[in-house]
Amino acid sequence: MNTIRAIVTATGCAGVGEQLLKALRLSSLPFRRIACDCTPHSTGCTLADDFLVIPRATHPHYAEQLLDICRAKHADALFIGSEAELLAVGPHREEFAREGIFLPLQPEDVLRICLDKARLYEKLNALGISTPWYRRIRSPEDFADMPSFPIVFKPAKQSGGSADVYIVRQQNELRFFSAYLLERHGEFVAQEYVGTPDDEFTIGILQDMDGELMGSIALHRDLSSSFSRRLKAANTTERRELGEQLVISSGISQGVLGGFPHVCSPGIAIATALGGRGPMNIQCRFSQGKLCLFEINPRFSGTTSLRALGGWNEPEMLVRRHILGERTVPQPFTQTVRIGRRLEEIIIPQHENPC
């Protein structure tokens, strides 16, 4: 079998790109892994066969320069590792396709909807899919008729790893965090806090680029470690059913991988209703017998390497389908695997930084 040349972007800081590199290393296919990042200090460079420093996704010619790199490296596949790059590359997907480069991106409308949380909730409700209470906040007047505390405040757009997400338990916190988020982001989303930390799941739905379901998997998240928590606060509200501690998870996931049909089945229905193509991840809690959705990441997950370690290698599955032309029938993920994470120290080679 010929070597499959795969370029992976955003490979630093233990992000999605680095997880993709780990998954490619776990694959039985003969990948040549080419890592790219906007900093020469990318930890992912040690997982690759080659490393390149590239501009940030905000560069006006980012997609053009990335396409030039793909041509120079004779890339067969390009895997995007950050949300900012999804938006930068998405409008140029046809240019990559003309060069014969496999680019597993969700359709442009799915990207735009999922990366705007309030717009996503509106779309889901229009499709008959319930979500926890939410409201887009653009001014203090938007706080009328708020539900009982606690409430979660978060940016309306792009907050990977739960950045700038806060638990609001009382009026003084509402005033403080709303002023901060309005000044920093111009708008944000208020959403009902639901479930307990023991109820949290990350659901992976994988469809091929024609929309055919290739399978699903879920991680029942373990939030007992500070490693996996972005924020923890005592539950001082009257909603005692939420437990003693209110928790917002971090982007560093660990826990139990499994088929979990009670969450995967509604996840598949959501991905299908949205018209998904490629990888999709649903962040949710399963509380009081129903799936309570927080957000949808229209991309590969930060748990991609965990899934591959457990035998569910999504980038490999897509390459086998779309580059190698294999039409195997996906089998359900039936085993249960507990996966933990730890810190690891590495020496990072020195690279030139053009940014």
Side-chain angles (χ1 to χ4, degrees), residues 236-259:
T236 57
T237 73
E238 296 179 355
R239 296 189 60 192
R240 308 315 302 167
E241 77 278 7
L242 299 176
E244 294 184 2
Q245 299 291 330
L246 307 174
V247 173
I248 298 294
S249 58
S250 72
I252 303 174
S253 306
Q254 53 189 331
V256 178
L257 279 174

Side-chain angles (χ1 to χ4, degrees), residues 39-55:
T39 169
H41 311 303
S42 165
T43 54
C45 70
T46 61
L47 301 169
D49 302 300
D50 195 2
F51 176 73
L52 297 169
V53 180
I54 60 175

Side-chain angles (χ1 to χ4, degrees), residues 117-311:
K117 295 179 179 64
R119 187 179 173 190
L120 170 65
Y121 306 147
E122 292 166 2
K123 177 67 173 180
L124 292 173
N125 291 169
L127 291 170
I129 300 168
S130 64
T131 63
W133 177 96
Y134 72 92
R135 180 169 296 163
R136 189 190 294 270
I137 305 296
R138 292 187 170 120
S139 71
E141 289 72 30
D142 293 328
F143 287 115
D145 302 321
M146 297 283 278
S148 60
F149 295 115
I151 301 169
V152 177
F153 284 2
K154 54 189 176 183
K157 301 177 181 178
Q158 295 188 55
S159 60
S162 299
D164 267 350
V165 178
Y166 302 99
I167 299 171
V168 176
R169 300 167 295 174
Q170 52 195 15
Q171 284 293 332
N172 62 340
E173 292 177 347
L174 184 150
R175 290 189 292 270
F176 177 83
F177 288 120
S178 63
Y180 168 76
L181 288 170
L182 285 173
E183 180 178 358
R184 180 171 173 79
H185 296 281
E187 65 174 315
F188 64 93
V189 170
Q191 187 178 55
E192 177 188 4
Y193 183 102
V194 295
T196 72
D198 293 335
D199 300 327
E200 190 152 335
F201 288 84
T202 294
I203 310 168
I205 309 298
L206 185 65
Q207 297 162 287
D208 70 12
M209 304 315 294
D210 297 317
E212 181 180 336
L213 179 68
M214 298 185 70
S216 63
I217 191 171
L219 180 74
H220 189 183
R221 299 188 64 171
D222 180 356
L223 303 185
S224 61
S225 167
S226 59
F227 204 47
S228 295
R229 296 192 303 260
R230 175 80 181 187
L231 181 64
K232 181 176 77 170
N235 183 7
T236 57
T237 73
E238 296 179 355
R239 296 189 60 192
R240 308 315 302 167
E241 77 278 7
L242 299 176
E244 294 184 2
Q245 299 291 330
L246 307 174
V247 173
I248 298 294
S249 58
S250 72
I252 303 174
S253 306
Q254 53 189 331
V256 178
L257 279 174
F260 297 112
H262 68 294
V263 295
C264 283
S265 292
I268 292 170
I270 291 170
T272 302
L274 288 173
R277 303 284 189 277
M280 179 179 289
N281 287 277
I282 297 172
Q283 309 296 334
C284 64
R285 287 183 177 174
F286 191 82
S287 178
Q288 298 181 342
K290 65 178 182 179
L291 187 147
C292 301
L293 184 150
F294 300 158
E295 59 188 64
I296 295 178
N297 304 129
R299 54 167 170 75
F300 287 102
S301 169
T303 64
T304 297
S305 64
L306 279 68
R307 297 170 184 174
L309 190 61

Side-chain angles (χ1 to χ4, degrees), residues 13-60:
C13 301
V16 173
E18 188 175 84
Q19 309 315 308
L20 282 162
L21 286 174
K22 290 180 179 179
L24 295 179
R25 281 169 63 96
L26 289 166
S27 172
S28 60
L29 295 178
F31 281 108
R32 177 170 179 80
R33 301 171 303 276
I34 303 163
C36 297
D37 201 89
C38 65
T39 169
H41 311 303
S42 165
T43 54
C45 70
T46 61
L47 301 169
D49 302 300
D50 195 2
F51 176 73
L52 297 169
V53 180
I54 60 175
R56 295 184 181 276
T58 52
H59 190 284

Side-chain angles (χ1 to χ4, degrees), residues 1-5 23-33 49 79 313-321 323-324 326:
M1 184 184 296
N2 293 332
T3 299
I4 302 166
R5 296 172 295 275
L24 295 179
R25 281 169 63 96
L26 289 166
S27 172
S28 60
L29 295 178
F31 281 108
R32 177 170 179 80
R33 301 171 303 276
D49 302 300
F79 296 102
N313 197 319
E314 292 158 299
E316 177 186 311
M317 293 164 69
L318 286 169
V319 165
R320 287 187 180 277
R321 173 66 58 91
I323 294 181
L324 302 182
E326 298 180 8

